[in-house]
Amino acid sequence: SMTFSLPSAIQRLRCFCISRTILNTMALKQIIKLSGFVLIFAGTAGLLLNEFILTHSSSRTIIFAVANLVGLVILVFAHFGLRR
C-alpha cells in the first residue's frame, strides 16, 4: 500500500520546481546567445552590403555597427554573466 507523507511530497515538489527553474534558465541563456549571434550576423551582413553593394548614408553604417556591438555585448553577458 502507498503511504502519503507530507515531507516527501514537499521534497518532490521542491525538486520539481528547482529543475524547472534550471531548465527555464538554460532555455533563456540559449535564447540570449542566439539573439547575440543574430545581431552580429545581421550587423556584419549589413556592413558588408553597405560597403560593397549598396551605397547608403553613414547613418545605416552606424546602425549596423551598433547592432554588431550590441550582439557582442549580449554574447559576453551570456557567456560570463549567466554562468551557473
Side-chain angles (χ1 to χ4, degrees):
S1 78
M2 290 185 74
T3 59
F4 178 77
S5 69
L6 190 58
S8 66
I10 291 173
Q11 184 65 27
R12 277 185 261 149
L13 181 62
R14 186 179 298 150
C15 289
F16 176 73
C17 291
I18 291 171
S19 64
R20 291 224 9 145
T21 303
I22 291 171
L23 287 175
N24 288 339
T25 303
M26 290 177 64
L28 180 64
K29 185 176 179 179
Q30 296 301 323
I31 291 170
I32 290 172
K33 277 187 176 182
L34 182 64
S35 66
F37 280 116
V38 167
L39 281 172
I40 290 174
F41 178 76
T44 303
L47 285 172
L48 289 172
L49 285 173
N50 195 28
E51 181 68 27
F52 295 114
I53 297 173
L54 311 170
T55 52
H56 290 292
S57 65
S58 61
S59 63
R60 289 193 184 178
T61 303
I62 292 171
I63 290 170
F64 290 128
V66 167
N68 270 341
L69 182 63
V70 170
L72 284 173
V73 168
I74 287 173
L75 283 179
V76 167
F77 173 74
H79 184 71
F80 294 111
L82 294 178
R83 281 197 175 167
R84 280 202 174 217

